[in-house]
Amino acid sequence: MTFAIHGLTVSRGIAIGRAVLVASSRVDVAHYFIEPGQVDAEVDRVRIGRDVVVEEIHRLQESISHMGPKEAPHELSALLDVHLMLLQDVELINGVKHWITDRLYNGEWALTTQLEIIVRQFDEMEDAYLRERKADMEQICERILRAMKGADSPVVAHVPRAARKPSQQDLLLDDTVDVPLVLIAHDLSPADMLQFKQSVFAGFITDVGGKTSHTAIVARSMDIPAVVGARTCSQLVRQDDWVIIDGDAGVVIVDPSPIILAEYGFKQRQGELERGRLQRLLHTSAVTMDGEKVQLLANIEMPEDAPGALKAGALGVGLFRSEFLFMGRQGRLPDEEEQYQAYKKAVEGMQGLPVTIRTVDVGADKPLDESVRDDAHLNPALGLRAIRWSLADPAMFLTQLRAILRAAAHGQVHLLVPMLAHAREIRQTLAHIDHARAMLDNRGMAYGPVKLGAMIEIPAAALSLPLFLRHFDFLSIGTNDLIQYTLAIDRSDESVAHLYDPLHPAVLRLVADTIAQCRAQGKPVSVCGEMAGDVGLTRLLLGLGLRSFSMHPAQILAVKQEVLRADTVKLTAWAQQVVAAEDPALAMSAP
Ligand code: PEP
Ligand code: MG
């Protein structure tokens, strides 16, 4: 039966594919595709994991058989019998085989996928006793996963399966081999997203998350249709269901009829044609109709993103979110050499164009590790994140600063500091940069000059601009956080997403003043939050005097098209009216 689920628009376009539900197992599970020739070995790996658990249970049974009823109550041995029975469950065994053989999932992924299916069946059972067996099934699967962890996969991780776009015919024929896959999860951490970035998913959906949550940001950088904040989607959709993601409308259509499929197939092709048309602007300079040059820069997460940024026509990197190098490493942070190599790779990848490296911004919805998610603090977004975290751990901060300074010997590097608000923090940060230079001098190591920038993303910073203008070479407005902190809206909470408003007069006032004060002092200023890549806001930002925009590479050409059509002489007065309006969204309709 066809039904629709509404969420929040994150990334434009249409994706059509089969649902892959990522189970939220307590054991950290890798998801990757194996090669067809590795199917037997992978099936064996799960079987061996299962045999290990069977062995363990047998040993346990043996040891309790010598104990009295006090130490080993009858229930315990009955429970072990149930576990042994579940380990032989045909549905579990055959299901796992199916996901490995037909879908080329790795063993752990196949096991958690099948577990998810069985768990749902248990949930629907009338019989309370049988329903409770769900927990047993989860336990034995977790034990198999742990046993498999001891026996690493012989296959190379993250081998992407050759993805090809299916024809409409494929979709209707229900082809099960090379169909596109759509990822559905309750939640995905930014680190998970990074892992999926290497994979072949045609789109993704999460139950939670706001429009500018970091998960949404990484999705946008992947340039695939996505919807977040889809509430109960991961419970309503079943493994392998056909799903359409309408990224433009923030809608998910489950189990579409052939007519709906055909309609969306058409829309998808229209979107591809539009992208093709935009490609013609690749080598056109971003200059407005009245001759104003505009700098369009890329936001990247990893050094490997640099070639993509160049290919999309970026004139540099306006924001390299260095924290992605630090995530998902089970507490082992990258050392100076590893960071230096990563920054150098990004700098060399940009072939002489400037690269703005932002110092680490972890905390809030960007935990270092899933296992250390910050639930302990009531308000992580207001807690120890970004520069606060760096200043609290000077050794870590100095390591990063040295690595960035060394990378600056290989090209133009701008060093950007997130979340500053206090004069004291600015002084400490600058002192650390001097200290890092002195350390490199002492070691006789080469380093290069850097331009120093601060992010304006806390209202207090936007209201203390003279302080920032005195100490920094350039400013970059982080509108994602500026909106979050100005409006007291958690950017990753879908329940308040309707209040997250870039066009709130207070937000516009802070953005407009920052741009105006920078221009008055001849200081470069850019916007690197999501507002910069929103084509609906390009003319407004141009009208406010912005000439440098940093965004996901995929958005550059669409923004360039807006720039080419704009006349800043006309836009200036209009933009001031919009900022002064009671309802700027309404005032935006002209000119
Ligand atoms: C911002 O806050 O606008 C920004 C660019 O930084 P991040 O999204 O990484 O917090
Ligand atoms: Mg920010």
Side-chain angles (χ1 to χ4, degrees):
M1 189 192 64
T2 303
F3 63 96
I5 300 168
H6 292 254
L8 303 167
T9 311
V10 165
S11 193
R12 307 205 157 270
I14 308 285
I16 305 174
R18 280 190 179 275
V20 173
L21 286 156
V22 177
S24 42
S25 165
R26 272 170 283 165
V27 180
D28 211 3
V29 171
H31 302 82
Y32 53 88
F33 294 105
I34 59 168
E35 295 291 349
Q38 294 161 326
V39 163
D40 290 343
E42 200 62 5
V43 172
D44 265 358
R45 219 162 57 78
V46 185
R47 191 184 44 74
I48 292 168
R50 190 177 53 119
D51 289 350
V52 168
V53 179
V54 171
E55 255 315 289
E56 278 170 13
I57 295 180
H58 280 314
R59 272 203 305 276
L60 217 65
Q61 279 182 323
E62 166 64 14
S63 63
I64 62 173
S65 67
H66 306 296
M67 297 176 187
K70 246 196 169 157
E71 300 145 286
H74 170 70
E75 288 79 359
L76 180 57
S77 78
L79 190 69
L80 293 178
D81 285 342
V82 170
H83 279 200
L84 274 180
M85 199 182 72
L86 292 176
L87 280 162
Q88 313 300 336
D89 186 87
V90 179
E91 203 185 339
L92 180 68
I93 295 170
N94 289 349
V96 169
K97 248 192 210 155
H98 157 71
W99 297 115
I100 297 177
T101 313
D102 299 341
R103 286 301 162 81
L104 302 178
Y105 288 6
N106 66 306
E108 289 85 349
W109 188 3
L111 184 61
T112 47
T113 300
Q114 191 57 22
L115 170 67
E116 186 85 8
I117 291 174
I118 296 175
V119 157
R120 282 186 189 210
Q121 291 169 1
F122 277 122
D123 280 340
E124 282 161 17
M125 283 177 182
E126 302 262 307
D127 184 323
Y129 172 80
L130 287 178
R131 239 188 358 254
E132 278 164 22
R133 299 287 67 78
K134 171 179 135 177
D136 295 311
M137 188 55 110
E138 286 172 338
Q139 277 174 20
I140 63 142
C141 285
E142 229 162 77
R143 291 180 74 159
I144 300 174
L145 289 170
R146 285 187 207 286
M148 287 171 71
K149 256 195 167 176
D152 260 357
S153 172
V155 300
V156 186
H158 313 302
V159 182
R161 193 168 55 149
R164 74 171 165 82
K165 278 223 176 312
S167 64
Q168 201 58 30
Q169 187 69 2
D170 284 342
L171 296 177
L172 296 172
L173 283 177
D174 212 9
D175 177 3
T176 49
V177 177
D178 257 348
V179 293
L181 301 173
V182 165
L183 183 72
I184 303 181
H186 175 68
D187 192 9
L188 286 171
S189 69
D192 286 338
M193 288 298 304
L194 221 54
Q195 185 181 337
F196 288 123
K197 210 168 167 171
Q198 331 287 333
S199 70
V200 294
F201 291 104
F204 87 90
I205 307 158
T206 58
D207 293 345
V208 299
K211 267 190 180 193
T212 57
S213 61
H214 285 93
T215 302
I217 286 174
V218 182
R220 225 165 276 139
S221 79
M222 289 163 72
D223 195 22
I224 57 172
V227 169
V228 300
R231 304 293 177 103
T232 49
C233 186
S234 72
Q235 288 161 39
L236 297 174
V237 179
R238 286 162 313 171
Q239 201 71 247
D240 233 24
D241 274 348
W242 276 102
V243 169
I244 296 173
I245 300 178
D246 182 345
D248 302 312
V251 172
V252 180
I253 298 164
V254 186
D255 199 11
S257 65
I259 294 177
I260 296 179
L261 257 184
E263 164 100 19
Y264 275 93
F266 175 73
K267 263 192 168 181
Q268 198 177 30
R269 284 190 297 281
Q270 293 293 103
E272 279 160 15
L273 283 177
E274 175 59 22
R275 277 169 192 246
R277 273 195 288 277
L278 280 177
Q279 277 299 319
R280 295 189 203 137
L281 302 180
L282 189 60
H283 302 293
T284 308
S285 302
V287 180
T288 62
M289 280 161 60
D290 55 315
E292 286 286 313
K293 283 197 185 118
V294 178
Q295 193 184 32
L296 301 180
L297 304 167
N299 289 356
I300 65 171
E301 278 88 39
M302 295 298 266
E304 293 75 25
D305 296 336
L310 275 184
K311 225 170 123 202
L315 288 184
V317 169
L319 174 64
F320 174 0
R321 290 184 162 98
S322 71
E323 53 274 16
F324 285 88
L325 296 172
F326 289 65
M327 287 181 197
R329 305 172 57 105
Q330 280 78 42
R332 195 190 61 81
L333 300 185
D335 63 17
E336 180 179 327
E337 190 57 27
E338 184 181 343
Q339 287 190 57
Y340 162 64
Q341 292 299 341
Y343 304 141
K344 178 165 160 264
K345 189 170 176 186
V347 170
E348 289 178 346
M350 289 308 289
Q351 301 176 5
L353 295 172
V355 177
T356 309
I357 304 174
R358 181 176 71 182
T359 60
V360 65
D361 180 3
V362 288
D365 72 329
K366 284 184 285 190
L368 271 184
D369 256 300
E370 273 309 273
S371 53
V372 289
R373 242 187 200 286
D374 191 358
D375 293 330
H377 297 99
L378 288 180
N379 235 325
L382 303 182
L384 194 68
R385 65 169 280 207
I387 189 63
R388 303 166 181 185
W389 192 71
S390 298
L391 292 176
D393 187 347
M396 182 283 301
F397 192 33
L398 284 166
T399 301
Q400 177 170 42
L401 292 174
R402 289 193 304 271
I404 296 174
L405 291 169
R406 286 173 60 195
H410 302 274
Q412 278 191 70
V413 170
H414 301 170
L415 195 158
L416 181 61
V417 186
M419 292 273 292
L420 286 166
H422 302 264
R424 191 176 61 244
E425 287 172 326
I426 295 176
R427 282 196 298 274
Q428 285 173 0
T429 301
L430 298 179
H432 276 103
I433 296 170
D434 285 343
H435 188 183
R437 284 197 188 101
M439 289 170 100
L440 291 172
D441 282 335
N442 278 341
R443 293 183 196 167
M445 291 179 108
Y447 61 91
V450 292
K451 287 225 158 47
L452 283 185
M455 290 204 56
I456 301 298
E457 51 184 347
I458 297 182
L463 295 169
S464 334
L465 286 170
L467 169 72
F468 285 82
L469 290 168
R470 251 197 318 280
H471 290 289
F472 291 96
D473 301 315
F474 69 99
L475 300 183
S476 187
I477 310 175
T479 48
N480 306 334
D481 278 315
L482 190 60
I483 298 168
Q484 154 163 275
Y485 297 126
T486 305
L487 301 181
I489 297 300
D490 184 338
R491 62 193 267 194
S492 53
D493 183 349
E494 74 279 3
S495 63
V496 286
H498 59 292
L499 297 172
Y500 187 94
D501 182 10
L503 289 175
H504 189 289
V507 173
L508 290 183
R509 172 56 50 216
L510 294 175
V511 171
D513 285 354
T514 306
I515 296 170
Q517 292 196 41
C518 284
R519 282 179 68 106
Q521 298 229 355
K523 283 265 158 111
V525 58
S526 67
V527 168
C528 63
E530 299 298 293
M531 277 178 83
D534 183 339
V535 288
L537 300 175
T538 310
R539 289 180 317 146
L540 178 62
L541 291 171
L542 286 170
L544 294 177
L546 190 74
R547 297 294 178 264
S548 176
F549 297 64
S550 192
M551 68 203 83
H552 301 293
Q555 291 156 327
I556 288 179
L557 293 181
V559 170
K560 193 189 277 187
Q561 179 166 268
E562 288 297 307
V563 169
L564 296 172
R565 292 172 177 166
D567 180 342
T568 61
V569 177
K570 284 191 188 145
L571 290 175
T572 307
W574 165 75
Q576 291 309 326
Q577 283 167 20
V578 172
V579 172
E582 185 180 307
D583 187 344
L586 275 182
M588 284 278 286
S589 47

